[in-house]
Amino acid sequence: MRKLIVGNWKMNGSLAMNTELLGGVRSGLSGISCDLAVCVPFPYLAQCQSLLEETAVVLGAQDVSSHAVGAYTGQVSTRMLLDFGCRYAIVGHSERREFCGETDEVVADKVQRALAGGLTPILCVGETLEEKEDGRTQEIVGNQINAVLKVLEDREVSGIVVAYEPIWAIGTGKTPTPEMAEEVHAMIRNLLVSRNAEAGSRVRILYGGSMKPSNAAGFLEMPDIDGGLIGGAALKAQDFLAIAKLASI
Ligand code: 13P
């Protein structure tokens, strides 16, 4: 499966910084044969769309409303994202689950809406440190995946991307071993395949959490790790490109 590397800029960026960062990314794309995307803050979608013109780097957002249109102050719809050329929307990132109170049900609604609206949702799942230490990783991640599978039609399963991001690995410099991550990815793959064998085998399952050039290769060679969702390292063009190169082999 062709690998997918996605940068999640989170709440970082400025007009000047974006110009420099995407300029750097643009100039280093030769020899990269994986799929590449950046998920940028809403206000910069127009700017980044134009900075990425005529490149193969795809644009995405970091969230999307579960509603189609109407009186939802502060929310952003699938149609608006499509207006700016977005193909992806991250849904259910742990930072939104934690700071914006997004439940499994809200996340499932957003995934459904993103698909209905023509976007590819990048569904984020992952356990806290406490849950990991209690040996509950598979249960927690399994519940997060099942909450979404419950609302999808069989044919919709192939339209999602999943990102396994252990919360204790995000921004901490700590990571599971590639083998530990692969165990969770394989469990996610099983859930997807048991729902729809053909579609489930085609879903890309990304690893996220302190992925950087020095550790990416180990993750990317695992059978069920189909790419990465990159936070901090996506803010440096050289690091982002280095990970993309490793995913291009
Ligand atoms: P870091 O790569 O900074 O750990 O962030 C991972 C992440 O949360 C991507 O969505």
Side-chain angles (χ1 to χ4, degrees), residues 66-153:
S66 61
H67 304 284
V69 64
Y72 301 101
T73 302
Q75 299 196 29
V76 172
S77 70
T78 54
R79 203 170 305 163
M80 295 170 187
L81 296 181
L82 290 175
D83 267 347
F84 292 94
C86 284
R87 292 241 302 272
Y88 293 104
I90 295 174
V91 172
H93 192 281
S94 61
E95 287 148 16
R96 292 202 60 85
R97 293 179 191 256
E98 181 180 357
F99 304 129
C100 305
E102 290 190 8
T103 60
D104 281 349
E105 289 67 34
V106 169
V107 171
D109 286 348
K110 289 186 170 192
V111 168
Q112 218 176 9
R113 174 66 60 192
L115 285 168
L119 291 168
T120 299
I122 301 175
L123 164 66
C124 298
V125 296
E127 81 288 0
T128 63
L129 182 59
E130 197 186 345
E131 289 161 347
K132 168 183 128 73
E133 285 174 347
D134 288 347
R136 297 178 60 211
T137 299
Q138 302 251 343
E139 170 203 338
I140 298 293
V141 172
N143 287 344
Q144 290 169 335
I145 295 285
N146 282 327
V148 171
L149 287 181
K150 202 167 75 181
V151 303
L152 295 188
E153 307 281 339

Side-chain angles (χ1 to χ4, degrees), residues 6 8 10 90 93-95 124 165 169-173 208-211 229-233:
V6 181
N8 173 10
K10 310 195 179 187
I90 295 174
H93 192 281
S94 61
E95 287 148 16
C124 298
E165 300 205 302
I170 296 178
T172 58
S210 298
M211 199 191 244
L229 183 55
I230 321 293

Side-chain angles (χ1 to χ4, degrees), residues 148-167:
V148 171
L149 287 181
K150 202 167 75 181
V151 303
L152 295 188
E153 307 281 339
D154 279 358
R155 62 178 168 75
E156 289 177 315
V157 174
S158 65
I160 67 171
V161 168
V162 174
Y164 169 54
E165 300 205 302
I167 295 169

